[in-house]
């Protein structure tokens, strides 16, 4: 499973990349606003930092004509840009046109199997079902991932499933168990993936025990 970082924050992306856990980046308008920078500048900076890994950046206009214009402009910012397109009628028409020109699209705000199916049929490179937001309204976000994976496998779709709106480490585990292609993970959750209280406790105990050896017997180097 690929790990994308769900952020527009350069420092977080740089750190995830240094750890070796940045197979791509997803941004959305809310994440970009948090950074308080010019959209185009942020996206270009991220694309350069993670090149050749894919970076999703969202087209904003709701109507087909402007959406396609924006998507083409965004796609020209860097060769590793993936254009995020909202799951609407116009959005899927745009995906169809853009896919014909080889522009990779990530259909976002997907909340049902049927929406994922339509996006795949339209030629989306990725679909992004939002699991956390489904959990928020009392539905089971990960059950949707299981269903989409089954349908895509059944019909041999090439569209990759990005588990989005990941809120906790259990989402990541379940995504991996279901064979999702990608999880896009907030930086705070990536940090938590390293941790287990028994690991911390174990390190502490080993260190305490180690100090019981005389210093002359503790040499590792030289
Ligand atoms: O990038 C889209 C998605 O991951 C948003 O997550 O937490 O705002 O539902 P969230």
């Amino acid at each position: 499973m690929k790990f994308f970082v769900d952020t527009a924050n350069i420092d977080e992306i740089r750190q995830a990349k240094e750890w070796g856990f940045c197979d791509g980046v997803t941004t959305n308008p809310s994440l970009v606003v948090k950074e308080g920078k010019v959209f185009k500048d942020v996206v270009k900076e991220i694309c350069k930092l993670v090149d050749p890994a894919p970076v999703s950046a969202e087209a904003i206009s709701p109507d087909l004509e402007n959406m396609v214009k924006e998507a083409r402009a965004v796609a020209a910012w860097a060769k590793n840009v993936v254009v995020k397109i909202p799951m609407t009628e116009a959005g899927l028409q745009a995906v169809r046109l853009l896919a014909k020109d080889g522009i990779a699209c990530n259909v976002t705000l997907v909340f049902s199997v049927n929406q994922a199916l339509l996006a795949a049929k339209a030629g989306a490179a990725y679909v992004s079902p939002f699991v956390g937001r489904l959990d928020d309204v009392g539905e089971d976000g990960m059950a949707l991932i299981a269903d989409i994976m089954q349908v895509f496998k059944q019909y041999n779709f090439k569209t990759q499933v990005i588990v989005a709106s990941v809120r906790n480490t259990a989402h990541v585990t379940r995504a991996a168990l279901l064979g999702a292609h990608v999880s896009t993970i907030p930086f705070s959750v990536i940090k938590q993936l390293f941790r287990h209280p028994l690991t911390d406790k174990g390190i502490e105990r080993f260190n305490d025990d180690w100090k019981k050896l005389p210093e002359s017997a503790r040499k590792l180097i030289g």
Side-chain angles (χ1 to χ4, degrees), residues 6-7 26-28 30-31 58 84 108-109 128-133 136 163-167 184-186:
D6 197 24
T7 186
T26 51
T27 68
N28 63 39
S30 312
L31 292 170
E58 200 147 335
K84 244 181 168 181
T108 188
L109 292 162
S128 290
F130 278 30
V131 296
R133 292 192 195 181
D136 289 346
V163 178
S165 185
V166 163
R167 301 277 172 77
T184 189
I185 317 171

Side-chain angles (χ1 to χ4, degrees), residues 10 37-48 77:
I10 292 288
K37 295 182 191 165
V38 176
F39 180 41
K40 184 178 179 176
D41 295 349
V42 185
V43 173
K44 284 177 94 170
E45 196 179 354
I46 298 171
C47 285
K48 199 170 163 200
W77 290 347

Side-chain angles (χ1 to χ4, degrees), residues 158-173:
K158 298 284 170 275
T159 305
Q160 295 193 33
V161 175
I162 302 181
V163 178
S165 185
V166 163
R167 301 277 172 77
N168 53 56
T169 54
H171 280 147
V172 180
T173 307

Side-chain angles (χ1 to χ4, degrees), residues 189-206:
V189 177
I190 294 182
K191 279 200 293 184
Q192 285 169 28
L193 292 173
F194 288 94
R195 319 293 304 185
H196 192 286
L198 290 178
T199 306
D200 297 340
K201 213 171 153 188
I203 290 172
E204 206 182 306
R205 191 183 299 170
F206 287 152

Side-chain angles (χ1 to χ4, degrees), residues 144-220:
L144 173 63
I145 301 299
D147 290 346
I148 295 172
M149 289 307 296
Q150 188 190 327
V151 170
F152 280 15
K153 205 171 164 193
Q154 207 148 277
Y155 292 104
N156 211 10
F157 282 117
K158 298 284 170 275
T159 305
Q160 295 193 33
V161 175
I162 302 181
V163 178
S165 185
V166 163
R167 301 277 172 77
N168 53 56
T169 54
H171 280 147
V172 180
T173 307
R174 290 184 64 195
L177 286 168
L178 291 168
H181 306 87
V182 183
S183 264
T184 189
I185 317 171
F187 185 71
S188 57
V189 177
I190 294 182
K191 279 200 293 184
Q192 285 169 28
L193 292 173
F194 288 94
R195 319 293 304 185
H196 192 286
L198 290 178
T199 306
D200 297 340
K201 213 171 153 188
I203 290 172
E204 206 182 306
R205 191 183 299 170
F206 287 152
N207 283 341
D208 289 347
D209 286 344
W210 187 244
K211 283 179 202 140
K212 291 172 192 159
L213 267 184
E215 208 182 327
S216 57
R218 280 193 251 150
K219 238 174 145 188
L220 267 77

